Amino acid sequence: MAYTKIHAIKATVDKAIEYICNPDKTDEQIYVSSYACAPETAAIDFKYTLDHCRENSPNKAYHLIQAFAPGEVGYEEAHRIGKELADKVLEGKYSYVVTTHIDKGHIHNHIIFCAADNIEYNKYHDCTQTYHRIRHLSDDLCKEHNLSVIIPGGERGKKYKEWQSEQNGSTWKTQLRRDINFCIKSASTYEEFLLLMRAKGYEIKGETFGEDAAKYISFRPLDKEHFVRGSARSLGKEYTKKRIRERIEKKRERKAVIPKKDYSSRKIIDTSDEKFQNSPGLQQWAAIENLKIAAQSYNEAGSLSDLEHKITVKNEAGKSAKQSVVELEHRMKNLAEIIKYAEQYKDNRSYHIAYKKAKNPDAYFRRYESQIILYGGARRMLEQAGIKLKGLNVDKLRAEYQALETQKKELTTTYKSCEKEVWNLKRKQENLNRYLGRTQTDPVQEQQTKNKNHSL
C-alpha cells in the first residue's frame, strides 16, 4: 500500500531539493533521479521555466510524497515505482527530482516538480481531481508491483473508522442516505418525497425554498438528538435540498421519454435457476426476452463466423493503436526534454559568448552565474541527445511536439472505441452461443482435461 500527499512550495525550492537529496537519507544519493533537470541545478532550472510563465500563482514547485507500508517493498523497487509515478502524473511535461528515503521505518519517495510545464509554460492545477488522479495512478502501480493498495472508494479526508463503519452499514448517516435514495425513487414530486421521509420517522426542517428559506434541509431520526444537514460536506453533494428536487424532476423526465430497448447489449437470461422452474409464466417471459436478444444480436452480427472475424479485427486494431500511444508517449517525453534544453541553450548563449569575451571573467560569472550554468547544462544535454546545435530551430521542435500530441489524441480515441466495440461484439457472440446451445471452451483448460484423462 502507498499513501500519497502533495503540497505546494512557494519559496526555498533549493532547500526543499537539498533536503530530499540528503545523502544520509538516500544511501549516498544512490536513490536520486531527475528528469529535464539536474538535481544540483534543479532550482535554477525551475526558475528559468517559471520566468516564462504568464500566470501569477505564487507556487514555484510541488512536493509529492509516496509512502509505503513498512516491510512491503525494497529500496530499488520503491525508487522505480517513484519514477514511474512521476512519469505518469507529469506526462513528460514537467521537470522533476525523485528520491527514495530509506532512513525511516517505512520507505517513502519524495517527488519535487516544477509548478510550470516546459512546453506551454502553464501552471500545474492542484485540486481534488488531480489529487485523486495521483492516488489512483499510485494504486495502479502498486497493483502492477503486487503490493497492497489503499482503501478503495475512500474520499480525501474521510476517517478510516467512518469508512469501515459505512462498509458494514452501521452508521446512521449511511442509513439516512439509503432512505433518501429510496424515497426519491418512490416519489413523483418533492412534496411526496417529504411525506415519505416523514412516514419513515424522520423529522425534517428547512425543506422549503424561497428568499427567507433556510439554506440547508435537515433530517433527524426519532432515536437521535441532533439533526444532520443535507449539505455536500455532511451527506454528499447528491443530498442537498436543491439536488434532491432535481433528482426527482429528472426521474420524471426520464419516465416521460421511453427509449427504444437495445436487446443486443443485454445478456441472455439463465432459465436454469429454481425460480424459473417453478413458474411457467416466468419461463415464458424469459423465452420471449431471450428470443428478442438473440434475434437482434444475429441481425446485427450477420453470422457467427462474421462476428468472430469482426472481434479479431477490432481486437488487433485496438491493440495496435494502444501500442502506438505508448510509443508516442515515449517520443513526446524525450522531445519535451529536448525542447526545454533547446530554449535554455538559445536564451542563454549570449551570456556564454559575453563571458568568453569579458575582460574580467570572474566578475561576469558571479553576476550571471545562473545563465551560464543553464547554458552549459543545456548544451551538454543536447549534444548527448545527438542534436545539432547549428541551425537549432525551437519552433520546429514545438510544431513536431504538437503534431505528436494530436496523433496521440486520435489514437487514444481509436483504441478506446475499439475496446468498446469488442465488448459489444463479444456480448452478441455470447448471447448467440448460449441461445443456440453452443459453449465456448478454453483451449488451455481443454488440453489439461485431455492430459488428465490420458493419465487415468
Side-chain angles (χ1 to χ4, degrees):
M1 179 184 75
Y3 169 78
T4 56
K5 66 177 181 179
I6 186 170
H7 65 268
I9 300 175
K10 300 182 189 297
T12 62
V13 175
D14 54 340
K15 290 182 179 178
I17 293 172
E18 183 182 354
Y19 166 76
I20 70 167
C21 293
N22 186 334
D24 294 333
K25 296 176 178 292
T26 58
D27 196 7
E28 299 301 323
Q29 296 191 332
I30 290 176
Y31 301 112
V32 175
S33 300
S34 62
Y35 166 73
C37 65
E40 299 80 12
T41 58
I44 299 174
D45 278 288
F46 288 11
K47 185 179 182 305
Y48 171 84
T49 305
L50 291 166
D51 286 343
H52 289 70
C53 185
R54 294 175 292 276
E55 295 181 37
N56 294 324
S57 166
N59 299 335
K60 295 181 179 180
Y62 285 92
H63 189 166
L64 170 60
I65 299 171
Q66 182 188 38
F68 301 93
E72 191 175 53
V73 66
Y75 302 155
E76 290 185 7
E77 186 178 21
H79 191 65
R80 188 162 61 250
I81 293 171
K83 289 192 289 184
E84 290 174 4
L85 179 63
D87 286 338
K88 285 181 178 291
V89 170
L90 304 174
E91 299 178 328
K93 295 181 181 180
Y94 299 80
S95 304
Y96 68 74
V97 177
V98 55
T99 70
T100 302
H101 284 192
I102 62 173
D103 60 323
K104 301 288 184 182
H106 62 286
I107 300 170
H108 55 283
N109 291 322
H110 291 269
I111 302 169
I112 293 181
F113 62 92
C114 183
D117 72 79
N118 298 318
I119 306 301
E120 301 293 338
Y121 300 117
N122 292 324
K123 284 288 185 80
Y124 179 83
H125 185 45
D126 181 35
C127 61
T128 302
Q129 186 177 356
T130 53
Y131 170 76
H132 284 162
R133 178 173 175 267
I134 289 171
R135 194 176 68 185
H136 292 150
L137 288 171
S138 177
D139 284 349
D140 289 343
L141 285 169
C142 286
K143 289 177 186 175
E144 290 175 17
H145 288 261
N146 295 317
L147 305 179
S148 60
V149 298
I150 207 159
I151 298 167
E155 296 176 3
R156 191 176 189 180
K158 181 174 285 187
K159 295 177 182 177
Y160 176 76
K161 286 184 179 178
E162 184 180 351
W163 177 87
Q164 189 180 45
S165 60
E166 284 194 11
Q167 296 304 105
N168 297 330
S170 60
T171 63
W172 69 274
K173 279 188 181 181
T174 303
Q175 186 58 47
L176 173 56
R177 292 189 192 97
R178 287 174 182 165
D179 287 338
I180 292 173
N181 290 336
F182 175 80
C183 291
I184 288 173
K185 188 177 180 181
S186 303
S188 299
T189 63
Y190 178 68
E191 288 70 26
E192 278 188 19
F193 162 78
L194 297 173
L195 186 65
L196 290 169
M197 285 295 290
R198 287 191 170 103
K200 279 185 168 289
Y202 286 97
E203 185 180 345
I204 305 172
K205 65 179 183 180
E207 70 271 24
T208 59
F209 289 86
E211 291 183 5
D212 299 328
K215 185 176 181 181
Y216 301 104
I217 188 171
S218 300
F219 304 91
R220 182 173 74 87
L222 294 174
D223 59 341
K224 299 295 178 184
E225 292 184 16
H226 303 291
F227 281 86
V228 170
R229 283 179 173 179
S231 65
R233 184 174 182 180
S234 183
L235 290 177
K237 60 183 180 181
E238 289 297 309
Y239 301 92
T240 63
K241 180 165 55 176
K242 183 181 176 183
R243 185 62 188 139
I244 287 171
R245 189 169 70 172
E246 286 175 351
R247 287 169 67 186
I248 295 169
E249 290 173 353
K250 191 170 287 186
K251 180 169 67 72
R252 287 167 60 190
E253 289 171 8
R254 284 200 299 268
K255 281 185 177 180
V257 180
I258 302 174
K260 183 182 176 182
K261 291 183 178 179
D262 180 15
Y263 282 98
S264 65
S265 63
R266 295 187 176 189
K267 195 172 183 179
I268 287 286
I269 301 164
D270 184 4
T271 57
S272 63
D273 193 90
E274 187 178 348
K275 65 181 180 181
F276 288 97
Q277 303 302 320
N278 298 329
S279 174
L282 204 56
Q283 284 183 25
Q284 185 180 4
W285 169 82
I288 293 170
E289 289 294 303
N290 284 343
L291 179 60
K292 290 177 181 178
I293 293 168
Q296 192 169 346
S297 295
Y298 189 82
N299 183 51
E300 293 179 4
S303 68
L304 282 170
S305 59
D306 288 344
L307 195 55
E308 289 171 359
H309 178 69
K310 285 179 184 176
I311 291 171
T312 302
V313 171
K314 288 293 179 183
N315 230 340
E316 288 303 316
K319 285 180 181 178
S320 298
K322 197 168 187 177
Q323 182 58 40
S324 297
V325 168
V326 173
E327 292 172 3
L328 277 173
E329 286 175 343
H330 287 303
R331 287 173 61 188
M332 288 171 68
K333 183 185 175 185
N334 292 334
L335 186 56
E337 193 171 25
I338 289 169
I339 289 171
K340 176 186 176 175
Y341 288 127
E343 289 190 337
Q344 284 187 0
Y345 172 84
K346 193 175 179 181
D347 289 351
N348 297 302
R349 188 167 178 268
S350 59
Y351 294 97
H352 170 75
I353 294 170
Y355 170 59
K356 291 293 183 183
K357 294 179 179 179
K359 292 181 180 179
N360 188 343
D362 290 340
Y364 189 89
F365 183 84
R366 285 194 298 272
R367 187 175 180 182
Y368 299 106
E369 180 180 2
S370 296
Q371 291 87 340
I372 295 167
I373 289 173
L374 285 172
Y375 169 82
R379 179 174 180 172
R380 183 172 64 255
M381 295 303 295
L382 290 171
E383 287 174 344
Q384 287 178 2
I387 304 297
K388 292 182 179 179
L389 301 179
K390 189 176 181 180
L392 187 64
N393 190 329
V394 179
D395 291 334
K396 189 176 178 180
L397 292 172
R398 281 183 168 276
E400 185 182 345
Y401 184 91
Q402 293 299 330
L404 291 175
E405 193 166 43
T406 302
Q407 193 178 352
K408 178 191 168 184
K409 287 178 181 177
E410 291 173 355
L411 285 167
T412 301
T413 302
T414 299
Y415 90 72
K416 286 185 177 179
S417 174
C418 285
E419 285 181 346
K420 187 176 180 180
E421 286 186 55
V422 167
W423 187 89
N424 288 327
L425 290 169
K426 283 186 174 180
R427 171 57 62 85
K428 292 181 175 69
Q429 184 186 45
E430 181 188 355
N431 285 338
L432 286 172
N433 280 322
R434 289 186 63 185
Y435 191 77
L436 297 172
R438 294 176 56 182
T439 55
Q440 292 174 298
T441 57
D442 184 350
V444 176
Q445 190 177 3
E446 189 177 4
Q447 186 61 45
Q448 288 175 346
T449 305
K450 285 181 180 179
N451 293 341
K452 187 176 180 182
N453 293 336
H454 182 71
S455 63
L456 293 174

